[in-house]
Amino acid sequence: MTALVNHQIVLASRPSGEATLDNFRLQTSAVDPDALADGQVLVKIHYLSLDPYMRGRMNEGKSYAQPQPLGEVMIGGTAGEVIASRHPDFAAGDQVVGMGGWQQYQLVDARQRGVLRKVDTTHVPLSAYLGAVGMPGVTAWVGLNTIIEPKAGETVVVSAASGAVGGVVGQLAKARGCRAVGIAGGPEKCAYVTGELGFDACIDYKVHRDLKSLAAALKQACPDGIDGYFENVGGTILDAVMLRMNAFGRIAMCGMIAGYDGQPIPMANPQLILISRLKVQGFIVSERMDLWPAALKELGAMVASGRLKYRETIAHGLESAPEAFLGLLKGRNFGKQLVRLV
């Protein structure tokens, strides 16, 4: 092979408030498939995963992960095909997932454990390994099973219910015998949550924009109160849910997209944590790698058998990634946001 031109998108500047297209820059580099060192693998990336956590890493402030370095390829999950290898465990043609970032090719030292994982696309599409059978699906599985710990007959509420994480949470809760109630934006997304994903109810937060209205809608959808809540948003939605939480309810804090631009997110009634003896726990799925095999086994079987439904929004071409990412932060995507490169 001759040297390949690798197009990449890097973080050009840190956002001041809302992220913009000016924060990103397209650049090129060269990669030579014939010049791999021992242990290296070259992957042609087919799909990029776009996820809300990336917005937090664009900031320089303290967070659970190191900030995205300026001038370097935007971090992110990827799925693709090995095109050259000097590692005995990988061969050309293998389908793999990793953290290749926003670029067309990933050159990786496969001797580092866990940086590249072979996947079987016989019954599960390659793209699903970035969604329902990937990090978002495992996030749903870990938060639901280790923090909410659902029991049959309980009510579990999920915000951003039509998204890549939220949709899996509700379906897993239903599989465990719970009443699943989603919160999503717009009639189309709510219809998908109940009609396709099988939730028992879905509340359109765009109709119920204030605390009183949202709390009333939750009371109607959750007549027996709320036992578990999977949080992806924060703000007024969290305040409304806390008003309906039962005693000893459990809240899994997964994401706070309402505050990704850096503004504080006040909590209206923190005393409810004490009054209702709530468990409120944040978690980062990468810190529970011990649970990934069990989660992926269940999620993969459910997708392969058609018992776990999911939807994808796919942008085309590397250059579309920044705009697709900004749209994700505004809720313009439906389900899992991907960028297809081939």
Side-chain angles (χ1 to χ4, degrees), residues 85 99 136 153 157 160 247 279:
S85 174
M99 292 291 287
V157 173
K279 178 173 80 170

Side-chain angles (χ1 to χ4, degrees), residues 81-262:
E81 179 181 355
V82 173
I83 59 172
S85 174
R86 292 196 62 186
H87 190 287
D89 293 341
F90 296 92
D94 285 346
Q95 305 289 295
V96 293
V97 294
M99 292 291 287
W102 296 13
Q103 57 183 342
Q104 292 175 304
Y105 298 95
Q106 175 193 15
L107 182 62
V108 60
D109 183 354
R111 294 173 298 185
Q112 299 178 36
R113 187 177 177 184
V115 295
L116 209 59
R117 179 169 62 92
K118 284 194 284 189
V119 295
D120 184 354
T121 57
T122 307
H123 302 292
V124 177
L126 180 61
S127 61
Y129 286 103
L130 295 177
V133 195
M135 182 274 291
V138 177
T139 298
W141 194 98
V142 170
L144 183 72
N145 289 321
T146 68
I147 298 174
I148 295 175
E149 299 179 298
K151 303 173 185 65
E154 292 188 327
T155 296
V156 174
V157 173
V158 190
S159 59
S162 69
V165 175
V168 175
V169 173
Q171 292 179 84
L172 289 176
K174 288 294 295 179
R176 284 146 176 75
C178 296
R179 177 175 176 81
V181 176
I183 302 173
E188 186 184 4
K189 287 184 177 180
C190 283
Y192 165 73
V193 167
T194 54
E196 181 73 15
L197 302 185
F199 284 53
D200 295 284
C202 187
I203 296 166
D204 184 353
Y205 70 81
K206 292 185 177 180
V207 172
H208 306 281
R209 291 187 176 273
D210 60 84
L211 179 59
K212 184 177 179 180
S213 177
L214 193 54
L218 279 165
K219 184 176 182 179
Q220 184 175 0
C222 309
D224 298 322
I226 300 168
D227 302 292
Y229 176 48
F230 197 102
E231 175 63 289
N232 290 306
V233 178
T236 303
I237 292 176
L238 175 59
D239 291 334
V241 168
M242 286 181 62
L243 291 170
R244 297 296 304 154
M245 291 295 296
N246 290 327
F248 304 104
R250 293 85 64 194
I251 299 177
M253 303 294 285
C254 175
M256 301 287 279
I257 200 167
Y260 279 157
D261 288 335

Side-chain angles (χ1 to χ4, degrees), residues 38-105:
D38 285 341
Q40 286 188 325
V41 173
L42 182 61
V43 178
K44 184 175 184 178
I45 295 172
H46 290 201
Y47 293 97
L48 308 181
S49 173
L50 303 184
D51 300 281
Y53 77 84
M54 297 172 176
R55 175 62 187 86
R57 296 191 69 170
M58 291 170 71
N59 297 333
E60 201 166 21
K62 180 182 178 183
S63 185
Y64 56 81
Q66 289 296 313
Q68 162 75 39
L70 286 172
E72 293 191 15
V73 175
M74 280 290 294
I75 194 167
T78 52
E81 179 181 355
V82 173
I83 59 172
S85 174
R86 292 196 62 186
H87 190 287
D89 293 341
F90 296 92
D94 285 346
Q95 305 289 295
V96 293
V97 294
M99 292 291 287
W102 296 13
Q103 57 183 342
Q104 292 175 304
Y105 298 95

